[in-house]
Amino acid sequence: GPKVLQIPSHQIIDMGQMVTLNCDPVSNHLYFYWYKQILGQQMEFLVNFYNGKVMEKSKLFKDQFSVERPDGSYFTLKIQPTALEDSAVYFCASSSGSGNTLYFGEGSRLIVV
Amino acid sequence: AQKVTQTQTSISVVEKTTVTMDCVYETRDSSYFLFWYKQTASGEIVFLIRQDSYKKENATVGHYSLNFQKPKSSIGLIITATQIEDSAVYFCAMRNDSGYNKLTFGKGTVLLVSP
């Protein structure tokens, strides 16, 4: 099926530092998403993004989080500064339409120490 | 608020048999969409199958099918002729008809298929 690529697959970072997670969505998709999965639990919605704007975000999307997709390149999730509770796997997803099926990447495992 | 519940924590089956995984959901919306995804050992999340609430016919894709019982708010996943590589965590998810694909996931069911 359609592939969403995520870079990096793993990252260990000191608390308080900044991290950027990158996502290369499916080529003709227009809607982009980030989900967070804490070890052993279900994925939870963070944010969705369309036409250069955040359309909806959850309570998990703290003020320290930001997303952007400059000039059609990677869709990024930036956390600045990071906190211990940000340790999780972050999944990027994309869809061709707002109601169409989501396709997920393989996740970026973030460990904040 | 929406809620998705998967009561089965784990299921073990022998390959080539049929397995059913349960999922019940809560929503106030009259129109909604239900999904099943699987997460492999590597962490990859794979879309399997989808059911739109307004469709009466159960969805079928390959050896996956759904048992959609709308009055019971239930969407079971049926896997026929299971294979070793079907071993994974299976997540049920839903979204309503508004918004931008904000999925609510269940906690998942671990499926172990043995020889």
Side-chain angles (χ1 to χ4, degrees), chain A residues 3 33 35 37 42-43 45 48 55-56 91 95 98-102 104, chain B residues 35 37 39 43-45 47 50 91 95 99-103 105-107:
Chain A
K3 289 291 187 183
Y33 314 80
Y35 281 75
Q37 185 182 36
Q42 74 268 41
M43 283 190 294
F45 169 81
N48 50 30
M55 305 307 295
E56 191 176 5
F91 288 94
S95 65
S98 64
N100 293 3
T101 298
L102 287 186
F104 287 85
Chain B
F35 305 84
Y37 287 84
Q39 186 170 28
E44 182 184 11
I45 296 171
F47 165 71
R50 154 184 181 154
F91 289 99
R95 71 164 181 87
Y100 294 86
N101 245 333
K102 176 183 175 182
L103 294 182
F105 283 85
K107 291 185 180 293

PDB file of all heavy atoms in Angstrom, chain A residues 3 33 35 37 42-43 45 48 55-56 91 95 98-102 104, chain B residues 35 37 39 43-45 47 50 91 95 99-103 105-107:
ATOM      1  N   LYS A   3       2.997   4.414   1.055  1.00  0.00           N
ATOM      2  CA  LYS A   3       4.016   4.466   2.096  1.00  0.00           C
ATOM      3  C   LYS A   3       4.221   5.879   2.609  1.00  0.00           C
ATOM      4  O   LYS A   3       4.324   6.838   1.840  1.00  0.00           O
ATOM      5  CB  LYS A   3       5.353   3.942   1.554  1.00  0.00           C
ATOM      6  CG  LYS A   3       5.380   2.434   1.319  1.00  0.00           C
ATOM      7  CD  LYS A   3       5.349   1.662   2.620  1.00  0.00           C
ATOM      8  CE  LYS A   3       5.549   0.178   2.368  1.00  0.00           C
ATOM      9  NZ  LYS A   3       5.454  -0.609   3.610  1.00  0.00           N
ATOM     10  N   TYR A  33      -1.116  14.220   9.598  1.00  0.00           N
ATOM     11  CA  TYR A  33      -1.492  14.001  10.991  1.00  0.00           C
ATOM     12  C   TYR A  33      -0.294  13.515  11.799  1.00  0.00           C
ATOM     13  O   TYR A  33       0.602  12.866  11.263  1.00  0.00           O
ATOM     14  CB  TYR A  33      -2.579  12.907  11.086  1.00  0.00           C
ATOM     15  CG  TYR A  33      -3.700  13.060  10.092  1.00  0.00           C
ATOM     16  CD1 TYR A  33      -3.545  12.636   8.779  1.00  0.00           C
ATOM     17  CD2 TYR A  33      -4.916  13.621  10.461  1.00  0.00           C
ATOM     18  CE1 TYR A  33      -4.569  12.779   7.848  1.00  0.00           C
ATOM     19  CE2 TYR A  33      -5.939  13.760   9.541  1.00  0.00           C
ATOM     20  CZ  TYR A  33      -5.759  13.334   8.237  1.00  0.00           C
ATOM     21  OH  TYR A  33      -6.775  13.471   7.331  1.00  0.00           O
ATOM     22  N   TYR A  35       0.180  11.277  15.475  1.00  0.00           N
ATOM     23  CA  TYR A  35      -0.403  10.535  16.578  1.00  0.00           C
ATOM     24  C   TYR A  35       0.730  10.136  17.516  1.00  0.00           C
ATOM     25  O   TYR A  35       1.868   9.968  17.099  1.00  0.00           O
ATOM     26  CB  TYR A  35      -1.109   9.259  16.078  1.00  0.00           C
ATOM     27  CG  TYR A  35      -2.485   9.501  15.497  1.00  0.00           C
ATOM     28  CD1 TYR A  35      -2.638  10.061  14.235  1.00  0.00           C
ATOM     29  CD2 TYR A  35      -3.625   9.169  16.211  1.00  0.00           C
ATOM     30  CE1 TYR A  35      -3.904  10.293  13.704  1.00  0.00           C
ATOM     31  CE2 TYR A  35      -4.894   9.393  15.688  1.00  0.00           C
ATOM     32  CZ  TYR A  35      -5.015   9.950  14.439  1.00  0.00           C
ATOM     33  OH  TYR A  35      -6.267  10.173  13.919  1.00  0.00           O
ATOM     34  N   GLN A  37       1.947   7.397  20.600  1.00  0.00           N
ATOM     35  CA  GLN A  37       1.682   6.107  21.238  1.00  0.00           C
ATOM     36  C   GLN A  37       2.700   5.881  22.348  1.00  0.00           C
ATOM     37  O   GLN A  37       3.897   5.737  22.084  1.00  0.00           O
ATOM     38  CB  GLN A  37       1.749   4.966  20.228  1.00  0.00           C
ATOM     39  CG  GLN A  37       1.370   3.614  20.820  1.00  0.00           C
ATOM     40  CD  GLN A  37       1.491   2.474  19.813  1.00  0.00           C
ATOM     41  OE1 GLN A  37       2.381   2.460  18.969  1.00  0.00           O
ATOM     42  NE2 GLN A  37       0.591   1.511  19.893  1.00  0.00           N
ATOM     43  N   GLN A  42      -2.711   2.489  23.213  1.00  0.00           N
ATOM     44  CA  GLN A  42      -3.232   2.820  21.887  1.00  0.00           C
ATOM     45  C   GLN A  42      -2.682   4.155  21.418  1.00  0.00           C
ATOM     46  O   GLN A  42      -2.183   4.958  22.188  1.00  0.00           O
ATOM     47  CB  GLN A  42      -4.766   2.861  21.892  1.00  0.00           C
ATOM     48  CG  GLN A  42      -5.382   4.084  22.565  1.00  0.00           C
ATOM     49  CD  GLN A  42      -5.671   3.859  24.016  1.00  0.00           C
ATOM     50  OE1 GLN A  42      -4.892   3.252  24.747  1.00  0.00           O
ATOM     51  NE2 GLN A  42      -6.821   4.317  24.445  1.00  0.00           N
ATOM     52  N   MET A  43      -2.784   4.364  20.135  1.00  0.00           N
ATOM     53  CA  MET A  43      -2.389   5.649  19.561  1.00  0.00           C
ATOM     54  C   MET A  43      -3.416   6.707  19.906  1.00  0.00           C
ATOM     55  O   MET A  43      -4.617   6.442  19.965  1.00  0.00           O
ATOM     56  CB  MET A  43      -2.279   5.527  18.057  1.00  0.00           C
ATOM     57  CG  MET A  43      -1.023   4.831  17.608  1.00  0.00           C
ATOM     58  SD  MET A  43      -0.836   4.976  15.866  1.00  0.00           S
ATOM     59  CE  MET A  43      -2.244   4.017  15.340  1.00  0.00           C
ATOM     60  N   PHE A  45      -4.585  10.803  19.027  1.00  0.00           N
ATOM     61  CA  PHE A  45      -4.498  11.899  18.067  1.00  0.00           C
ATOM     62  C   PHE A  45      -3.820  13.105  18.696  1.00  0.00           C
ATOM     63  O   PHE A  45      -4.122  13.498  19.829  1.00  0.00           O
ATOM     64  CB  PHE A  45      -5.917  12.256  17.613  1.00  0.00           C
ATOM     65  CG  PHE A  45      -6.024  13.515  16.821  1.00  0.00           C
ATOM     66  CD1 PHE A  45      -5.720  13.514  15.469  1.00  0.00           C
ATOM     67  CD2 PHE A  45      -6.432  14.694  17.416  1.00  0.00           C
ATOM     68  CE1 PHE A  45      -5.831  14.682  14.727  1.00  0.00           C
ATOM     69  CE2 PHE A  45      -6.550  15.859  16.684  1.00  0.00           C
ATOM     70  CZ  PHE A  45      -6.243  15.856  15.335  1.00  0.00           C
ATOM     71  N   ASN A  48      -3.943  17.583  13.233  1.00  0.00           N
ATOM     72  CA  ASN A  48      -4.015  17.412  11.792  1.00  0.00           C
ATOM     73  C   ASN A  48      -3.745  18.743  11.111  1.00  0.00           C
ATOM     74  O   ASN A  48      -3.870  19.809  11.703  1.00  0.00           O
ATOM     75  CB  ASN A  48      -5.331  16.788  11.350  1.00  0.00           C
ATOM     76  CG  ASN A  48      -6.541  17.467  11.941  1.00  0.00           C
ATOM     77  OD1 ASN A  48      -6.517  18.656  12.223  1.00  0.00           O
ATOM     78  ND2 ASN A  48      -7.600  16.714  12.135  1.00  0.00           N
ATOM     79  N   MET A  55      -5.702  22.216  11.548  1.00  0.00           N
ATOM     80  CA  MET A  55      -7.158  22.220  11.489  1.00  0.00           C
ATOM     81  C   MET A  55      -7.774  21.846  12.838  1.00  0.00           C
ATOM     82  O   MET A  55      -8.803  22.348  13.218  1.00  0.00           O
ATOM     83  CB  MET A  55      -7.648  21.247  10.420  1.00  0.00           C
ATOM     84  CG  MET A  55      -7.050  21.491   9.030  1.00  0.00           C
ATOM     85  SD  MET A  55      -7.253  23.184   8.476  1.00  0.00           S
ATOM     86  CE  MET A  55      -9.019  23.285   8.326  1.00  0.00           C
ATOM     87  N   GLU A  56      -7.085  20.942  13.527  1.00  0.00           N
ATOM     88  CA  GLU A  56      -7.618  20.478  14.802  1.00  0.00           C
ATOM     89  C   GLU A  56      -6.455  19.924  15.623  1.00  0.00           C
ATOM     90  O   GLU A  56      -5.528  19.336  15.069  1.00  0.00           O
ATOM     91  CB  GLU A  56      -8.648  19.366  14.555  1.00  0.00           C
ATOM     92  CG  GLU A  56      -9.479  18.969  15.743  1.00  0.00           C
ATOM     93  CD  GLU A  56     -10.547  17.932  15.377  1.00  0.00           C
ATOM     94  OE1 GLU A  56     -10.554  17.474  14.211  1.00  0.00           O
ATOM     95  OE2 GLU A  56     -11.344  17.589  16.255  1.00  0.00           O
ATOM     96  N   PHE A  91       3.711   8.765  15.440  1.00  0.00           N
ATOM     97  CA  PHE A  91       3.358   8.275  14.118  1.00  0.00           C
ATOM     98  C   PHE A  91       2.820   9.419  13.275  1.00  0.00           C
ATOM     99  O   PHE A  91       1.925  10.159  13.687  1.00  0.00           O
ATOM    100  CB  PHE A  91       2.292   7.183  14.205  1.00  0.00           C
ATOM    101  CG  PHE A  91       2.800   5.881  14.737  1.00  0.00           C
ATOM    102  CD1 PHE A  91       2.706   5.586  16.083  1.00  0.00           C
ATOM    103  CD2 PHE A  91       3.374   4.948  13.891  1.00  0.00           C
ATOM    104  CE1 PHE A  91       3.178   4.383  16.591  1.00  0.00           C
ATOM    105  CE2 PHE A  91       3.846   3.743  14.377  1.00  0.00           C
ATOM    106  CZ  PHE A  91       3.752   3.470  15.730  1.00  0.00           C
ATOM    107  N   SER A  95      -3.546  11.399   4.342  1.00  0.00           N
ATOM    108  CA  SER A  95      -4.708  10.930   3.591  1.00  0.00           C
ATOM    109  C   SER A  95      -4.927  11.859   2.411  1.00  0.00           C
ATOM    110  O   SER A  95      -4.514  13.020   2.426  1.00  0.00           O
ATOM    111  CB  SER A  95      -5.961  10.877   4.478  1.00  0.00           C
ATOM    112  OG  SER A  95      -6.339  12.168   4.903  1.00  0.00           O
ATOM    113  N   SER A  98     -10.076  14.627   3.462  1.00  0.00           N
ATOM    114  CA  SER A  98     -10.327  14.729   4.895  1.00  0.00           C
ATOM    115  C   SER A  98     -11.058  13.529   5.438  1.00  0.00           C
ATOM    116  O   SER A  98     -10.941  13.214   6.616  1.00  0.00           O
ATOM    117  CB  SER A  98     -11.122  16.008   5.205  1.00  0.00           C
ATOM    118  OG  SER A  98     -12.395  15.936   4.586  1.00  0.00           O
ATOM    119  N   GLY A  99     -11.781  12.828   4.579  1.00  0.00           N
ATOM    120  CA  GLY A  99     -12.510  11.661   5.052  1.00  0.00           C
ATOM    121  C   GLY A  99     -11.949  10.349   4.572  1.00  0.00           C
ATOM    122  O   GLY A  99     -12.503   9.296   4.842  1.00  0.00           O
ATOM    123  N   ASN A 100     -10.865  10.407   3.875  1.00  0.00           N
ATOM    124  CA  ASN A 100     -10.285   9.197   3.316  1.00  0.00           C
ATOM    125  C   ASN A 100      -9.394   8.473   4.313  1.00  0.00           C
ATOM    126  O   ASN A 100      -8.971   9.028   5.309  1.00  0.00           O
ATOM    127  CB  ASN A 100      -9.503   9.536   2.042  1.00  0.00           C
ATOM    128  CG  ASN A 100     -10.407  10.001   0.930  1.00  0.00           C
ATOM    129  OD1 ASN A 100     -11.618  10.133   1.113  1.00  0.00           O
ATOM    130  ND2 ASN A 100      -9.842  10.271  -0.226  1.00  0.00           N
ATOM    131  N   THR A 101      -9.096   7.253   4.000  1.00  0.00           N
ATOM    132  CA  THR A 101      -8.347   6.389   4.909  1.00  0.00           C
ATOM    133  C   THR A 101      -6.968   6.959   5.213  1.00  0.00           C
ATOM    134  O   THR A 101      -6.277   7.460   4.325  1.00  0.00           O
ATOM    135  CB  THR A 101      -8.214   4.987   4.290  1.00  0.00           C
ATOM    136  OG1 THR A 101      -9.523   4.445   4.121  1.00  0.00           O
ATOM    137  CG2 THR A 101      -7.391   4.075   5.191  1.00  0.00           C
ATOM    138  N   LEU A 102      -6.583   6.848   6.489  1.00  0.00           N
ATOM    139  CA  LEU A 102      -5.254   7.264   6.909  1.00  0.00           C
ATOM    140  C   LEU A 102      -4.237   6.176   6.639  1.00  0.00           C
ATOM    141  O   LEU A 102      -4.506   5.002   6.875  1.00  0.00           O
ATOM    142  CB  LEU A 102      -5.240   7.528   8.409  1.00  0.00           C
ATOM    143  CG  LEU A 102      -5.924   8.771   8.964  1.00  0.00           C
ATOM    144  CD1 LEU A 102      -5.653   8.889  10.447  1.00  0.00           C
ATOM    145  CD2 LEU A 102      -5.463  10.003   8.244  1.00  0.00           C
ATOM    146  N   PHE A 104      -0.291   5.232   7.737  1.00  0.00           N
ATOM    147  CA  PHE A 104       0.677   5.591   8.755  1.00  0.00           C
ATOM    148  C   PHE A 104       2.100   5.257   8.354  1.00  0.00           C
ATOM    149  O   PHE A 104       2.348   4.299   7.609  1.00  0.00           O
ATOM    150  CB  PHE A 104       0.360   4.847  10.064  1.00  0.00           C
ATOM    151  CG  PHE A 104      -0.850   5.357  10.786  1.00  0.00           C
ATOM    152  CD1 PHE A 104      -2.115   4.914  10.451  1.00  0.00           C
ATOM    153  CD2 PHE A 104      -0.722   6.281  11.803  1.00  0.00           C
ATOM    154  CE1 PHE A 104      -3.247   5.386  11.118  1.00  0.00           C
ATOM    155  CE2 PHE A 104      -1.838   6.766  12.480  1.00  0.00           C
ATOM    156  CZ  PHE A 104      -3.098   6.313  12.136  1.00  0.00           C
TER     157      PHE A 104
ATOM    158  N   PHE B  35     -12.683   1.445  11.473  1.00  0.00           N
ATOM    159  CA  PHE B  35     -11.467   0.943  10.831  1.00  0.00           C
ATOM    160  C   PHE B  35     -10.819  -0.132  11.695  1.00  0.00           C
ATOM    161  O   PHE B  35     -10.933  -0.128  12.909  1.00  0.00           O
ATOM    162  CB  PHE B  35     -10.444   2.077  10.649  1.00  0.00           C
ATOM    163  CG  PHE B  35     -10.959   3.272   9.913  1.00  0.00           C
ATOM    164  CD1 PHE B  35     -11.670   4.259  10.584  1.00  0.00           C
ATOM    165  CD2 PHE B  35     -10.724   3.419   8.556  1.00  0.00           C
ATOM    166  CE1 PHE B  35     -12.154   5.372   9.922  1.00  0.00           C
ATOM    167  CE2 PHE B  35     -11.202   4.531   7.878  1.00  0.00           C
ATOM    168  CZ  PHE B  35     -11.912   5.509   8.564  1.00  0.00           C
ATOM    169  N   TYR B  37      -6.841  -1.605  12.028  1.00  0.00           N
ATOM    170  CA  TYR B  37      -5.434  -1.527  11.666  1.00  0.00           C
ATOM    171  C   TYR B  37      -4.704  -2.627  12.415  1.00  0.00           C
ATOM    172  O   TYR B  37      -5.137  -3.060  13.483  1.00  0.00           O
ATOM    173  CB  TYR B  37      -4.829  -0.191  12.086  1.00  0.00           C
ATOM    174  CG  TYR B  37      -5.239   1.004  11.261  1.00  0.00           C
ATOM    175  CD1 TYR B  37      -6.433   1.681  11.526  1.00  0.00           C
ATOM    176  CD2 TYR B  37      -4.431   1.473  10.224  1.00  0.00           C
ATOM    177  CE1 TYR B  37      -6.800   2.793  10.776  1.00  0.00           C
ATOM    178  CE2 TYR B  37      -4.789   2.587   9.471  1.00  0.00           C
ATOM    179  CZ  TYR B  37      -5.975   3.230   9.756  1.00  0.00           C
ATOM    180  OH  TYR B  37      -6.335   4.330   9.010  1.00  0.00           O
ATOM    181  N   GLN B  39      -0.726  -3.610  13.930  1.00  0.00           N
ATOM    182  CA  GLN B  39       0.620  -3.118  14.193  1.00  0.00           C
ATOM    183  C   GLN B  39       1.540  -4.328  14.299  1.00  0.00           C
ATOM    184  O   GLN B  39       1.369  -5.173  15.183  1.00  0.00           O
ATOM    185  CB  GLN B  39       0.664  -2.288  15.470  1.00  0.00           C
ATOM    186  CG  GLN B  39       2.009  -1.626  15.713  1.00  0.00           C
ATOM    187  CD  GLN B  39       1.965  -0.609  16.840  1.00  0.00           C
ATOM    188  OE1 GLN B  39       1.175  -0.711  17.765  1.00  0.00           O
ATOM    189  NE2 GLN B  39       2.827   0.400  16.762  1.00  0.00           N
ATOM    190  N   GLY B  43       6.560  -2.442  14.501  1.00  0.00           N
ATOM    191  CA  GLY B  43       5.896  -1.184  14.842  1.00  0.00           C
ATOM    192  C   GLY B  43       5.094  -0.582  13.703  1.00  0.00           C
ATOM    193  O   GLY B  43       4.360   0.385  13.909  1.00  0.00           O
ATOM    194  N   GLU B  44       5.238  -1.151  12.528  1.00  0.00           N
ATOM    195  CA  GLU B  44       4.505  -0.637  11.374  1.00  0.00           C
ATOM    196  C   GLU B  44       2.999  -0.773  11.578  1.00  0.00           C
ATOM    197  O   GLU B  44       2.521  -1.797  12.060  1.00  0.00           O
ATOM    198  CB  GLU B  44       4.922  -1.404  10.118  1.00  0.00           C
ATOM    199  CG  GLU B  44       4.262  -0.921   8.853  1.00  0.00           C
ATOM    200  CD  GLU B  44       4.636  -1.778   7.652  1.00  0.00           C
ATOM    201  OE1 GLU B  44       5.232  -2.842   7.842  1.00  0.00           O
ATOM    202  OE2 GLU B  44       4.318  -1.365   6.523  1.00  0.00           O
ATOM    203  N   ILE B  45       2.272   0.244  11.205  1.00  0.00           N
ATOM    204  CA  ILE B  45       0.812   0.235  11.328  1.00  0.00           C
ATOM    205  C   ILE B  45       0.212   0.116   9.935  1.00  0.00           C
ATOM    206  O   ILE B  45       0.468   0.968   9.075  1.00  0.00           O
ATOM    207  CB  ILE B  45       0.318   1.497  12.036  1.00  0.00           C
ATOM    208  CG1 ILE B  45       0.842   1.501  13.462  1.00  0.00           C
ATOM    209  CG2 ILE B  45      -1.210   1.563  12.038  1.00  0.00           C
ATOM    210  CD1 ILE B  45       0.605   2.771  14.204  1.00  0.00           C
ATOM    211  N   PHE B  47      -3.160  -0.410   7.505  1.00  0.00           N
ATOM    212  CA  PHE B  47      -4.609  -0.342   7.356  1.00  0.00           C
ATOM    213  C   PHE B  47      -5.121  -1.655   6.782  1.00  0.00           C
ATOM    214  O   PHE B  47      -4.563  -2.188   5.822  1.00  0.00           O
ATOM    215  CB  PHE B  47      -4.988   0.808   6.426  1.00  0.00           C
ATOM    216  CG  PHE B  47      -6.403   0.741   5.922  1.00  0.00           C
ATOM    217  CD1 PHE B  47      -7.457   0.982   6.771  1.00  0.00           C
ATOM    218  CD2 PHE B  47      -6.670   0.405   4.605  1.00  0.00           C
ATOM    219  CE1 PHE B  47      -8.761   0.903   6.315  1.00  0.00           C
ATOM    220  CE2 PHE B  47      -7.963   0.336   4.141  1.00  0.00           C
ATOM    221  CZ  PHE B  47      -9.013   0.574   4.990  1.00  0.00           C
ATOM    222  N   ARG B  50     -12.264  -1.198   6.370  1.00  0.00           N
ATOM    223  CA  ARG B  50     -13.072  -0.068   6.825  1.00  0.00           C
ATOM    224  C   ARG B  50     -14.550  -0.363   6.612  1.00  0.00           C
ATOM    225  O   ARG B  50     -14.919  -1.035   5.658  1.00  0.00           O
ATOM    226  CB  ARG B  50     -12.631   1.146   6.024  1.00  0.00           C
ATOM    227  CG  ARG B  50     -13.618   2.248   5.836  1.00  0.00           C
ATOM    228  CD  ARG B  50     -13.051   3.322   4.949  1.00  0.00           C
ATOM    229  NE  ARG B  50     -14.012   4.399   4.784  1.00  0.00           N
ATOM    230  CZ  ARG B  50     -13.679   5.648   4.512  1.00  0.00           C
ATOM    231  NH1 ARG B  50     -12.438   5.982   4.357  1.00  0.00           N
ATOM    232  NH2 ARG B  50     -14.611   6.569   4.378  1.00  0.00           N
ATOM    233  N   PHE B  91      -5.832  -3.077  16.113  1.00  0.00           N
ATOM    234  CA  PHE B  91      -6.510  -1.926  16.689  1.00  0.00           C
ATOM    235  C   PHE B  91      -7.789  -1.622  15.915  1.00  0.00           C
ATOM    236  O   PHE B  91      -7.793  -1.561  14.685  1.00  0.00           O
ATOM    237  CB  PHE B  91      -5.614  -0.690  16.644  1.00  0.00           C
ATOM    238  CG  PHE B  91      -4.448  -0.738  17.591  1.00  0.00           C
ATOM    239  CD1 PHE B  91      -3.192  -1.105  17.138  1.00  0.00           C
ATOM    240  CD2 PHE B  91      -4.603  -0.403  18.924  1.00  0.00           C
ATOM    241  CE1 PHE B  91      -2.107  -1.142  18.009  1.00  0.00           C
ATOM    242  CE2 PHE B  91      -3.535  -0.436  19.801  1.00  0.00           C
ATOM    243  CZ  PHE B  91      -2.277  -0.814  19.334  1.00  0.00           C
ATOM    244  N   ARG B  95     -14.025   7.239  13.579  1.00  0.00           N
ATOM    245  CA  ARG B  95     -14.089   8.686  13.492  1.00  0.00           C
ATOM    246  C   ARG B  95     -15.506   9.070  13.098  1.00  0.00           C
ATOM    247  O   ARG B  95     -16.243   8.275  12.519  1.00  0.00           O
ATOM    248  CB  ARG B  95     -13.090   9.240  12.489  1.00  0.00           C
ATOM    249  CG  ARG B  95     -13.409   8.958  11.050  1.00  0.00           C
ATOM    250  CD  ARG B  95     -12.594   9.849  10.130  1.00  0.00           C
ATOM    251  NE  ARG B  95     -12.900   9.606   8.729  1.00  0.00           N
ATOM    252  CZ  ARG B  95     -13.886  10.201   8.059  1.00  0.00           C
ATOM    253  NH1 ARG B  95     -14.671  11.067   8.679  1.00  0.00           N
ATOM    254  NH2 ARG B  95     -14.072   9.942   6.799  1.00  0.00           N
ATOM    255  N   GLY B  99     -15.017  16.958  11.072  1.00  0.00           N
ATOM    256  CA  GLY B  99     -13.629  17.032  11.489  1.00  0.00           C
ATOM    257  C   GLY B  99     -12.697  16.476  10.434  1.00  0.00           C
ATOM    258  O   GLY B  99     -13.084  16.150   9.322  1.00  0.00           O
ATOM    259  N   TYR B 100     -11.495  16.353  10.778  1.00  0.00           N
ATOM    260  CA  TYR B 100     -10.466  16.014   9.814  1.00  0.00           C
ATOM    261  C   TYR B 100      -9.755  14.726  10.207  1.00  0.00           C
ATOM    262  O   TYR B 100      -8.593  14.720  10.545  1.00  0.00           O
ATOM    263  CB  TYR B 100      -9.477  17.163   9.706  1.00  0.00           C
ATOM    264  CG  TYR B 100     -10.104  18.403   9.113  1.00  0.00           C
ATOM    265  CD1 TYR B 100     -10.789  19.314   9.917  1.00  0.00           C
ATOM    266  CD2 TYR B 100     -10.051  18.641   7.750  1.00  0.00           C
ATOM    267  CE1 TYR B 100     -11.377  20.437   9.377  1.00  0.00           C
ATOM    268  CE2 TYR B 100     -10.628  19.770   7.201  1.00  0.00           C
ATOM    269  CZ  TYR B 100     -11.296  20.660   8.020  1.00  0.00           C
ATOM    270  OH  TYR B 100     -11.877  21.771   7.484  1.00  0.00           O
ATOM    271  N   ASN B 101     -10.480  13.629  10.125  1.00  0.00           N
ATOM    272  CA  ASN B 101      -9.865  12.314  10.297  1.00  0.00           C
ATOM    273  C   ASN B 101      -9.219  12.135  11.666  1.00  0.00           C
ATOM    274  O   ASN B 101      -8.160  11.540  11.788  1.00  0.00           O
ATOM    275  CB  ASN B 101      -8.807  12.061   9.206  1.00  0.00           C
ATOM    276  CG  ASN B 101      -9.209  10.934   8.297  1.00  0.00           C
ATOM    277  OD1 ASN B 101      -9.945  10.037   8.695  1.00  0.00           O
ATOM    278  ND2 ASN B 101      -8.717  10.954   7.080  1.00  0.00           N
ATOM    279  N   LYS B 102      -9.875  12.635  12.685  1.00  0.00           N
ATOM    280  CA  LYS B 102      -9.379  12.426  14.036  1.00  0.00           C
ATOM    281  C   LYS B 102      -9.884  11.054  14.497  1.00  0.00           C
ATOM    282  O   LYS B 102     -11.056  10.892  14.801  1.00  0.00           O
ATOM    283  CB  LYS B 102      -9.920  13.515  14.957  1.00  0.00           C
ATOM    284  CG  LYS B 102      -9.551  13.356  16.413  1.00  0.00           C
ATOM    285  CD  LYS B 102     -10.204  14.460  17.225  1.00  0.00           C
ATOM    286  CE  LYS B 102      -9.973  14.267  18.711  1.00  0.00           C
ATOM    287  NZ  LYS B 102     -10.658  15.313  19.498  1.00  0.00           N
ATOM    288  N   LEU B 103      -8.990  10.082  14.498  1.00  0.00           N
ATOM    289  CA  LEU B 103      -9.364   8.723  14.855  1.00  0.00           C
ATOM    290  C   LEU B 103      -9.258   8.506  16.358  1.00  0.00           C
ATOM    291  O   LEU B 103      -8.322   8.977  16.996  1.00  0.00           O
ATOM    292  CB  LEU B 103      -8.454   7.715  14.157  1.00  0.00           C
ATOM    293  CG  LEU B 103      -8.526   7.605  12.636  1.00  0.00           C
ATOM    294  CD1 LEU B 103      -7.596   6.522  12.141  1.00  0.00           C
ATOM    295  CD2 LEU B 103      -9.946   7.307  12.195  1.00  0.00           C
ATOM    296  N   PHE B 105      -8.812   5.381  18.879  1.00  0.00           N
ATOM    297  CA  PHE B 105      -8.389   3.986  18.826  1.00  0.00           C
ATOM    298  C   PHE B 105      -8.777   3.236  20.089  1.00  0.00           C
ATOM    299  O   PHE B 105      -8.838   3.806  21.184  1.00  0.00           O
ATOM    300  CB  PHE B 105      -6.867   3.897  18.672  1.00  0.00           C
ATOM    301  CG  PHE B 105      -6.369   4.168  17.289  1.00  0.00           C
ATOM    302  CD1 PHE B 105      -6.134   5.463  16.859  1.00  0.00           C
ATOM    303  CD2 PHE B 105      -6.126   3.133  16.404  1.00  0.00           C
ATOM    304  CE1 PHE B 105      -5.675   5.722  15.588  1.00  0.00           C
ATOM    305  CE2 PHE B 105      -5.666   3.379  15.115  1.00  0.00           C
ATOM    306  CZ  PHE B 105      -5.440   4.680  14.714  1.00  0.00           C
ATOM    307  N   GLY B 106      -8.967   1.921  19.931  1.00  0.00           N
ATOM    308  CA  GLY B 106      -9.069   1.040  21.079  1.00  0.00           C
ATOM    309  C   GLY B 106      -7.677   0.676  21.570  1.00  0.00           C
ATOM    310  O   GLY B 106      -6.672   1.072  20.970  1.00  0.00           O
ATOM    311  N   LYS B 107      -7.611  -0.084  22.658  1.00  0.00           N
ATOM    312  CA  LYS B 107      -6.312  -0.429  23.262  1.00  0.00           C
ATOM    313  C   LYS B 107      -5.609  -1.567  22.543  1.00  0.00           C
ATOM    314  O   LYS B 107      -4.450  -1.848  22.830  1.00  0.00           O
ATOM    315  CB  LYS B 107      -6.493  -0.767  24.742  1.00  0.00           C
ATOM    316  CG  LYS B 107      -6.875   0.436  25.597  1.00  0.00           C
ATOM    317  CD  LYS B 107      -6.927   0.063  27.068  1.00  0.00           C
ATOM    318  CE  LYS B 107      -7.306   1.253  27.935  1.00  0.00           C
ATOM    319  NZ  LYS B 107      -6.265   2.295  27.936  1.00  0.00           N
TER     320      LYS B 107
END
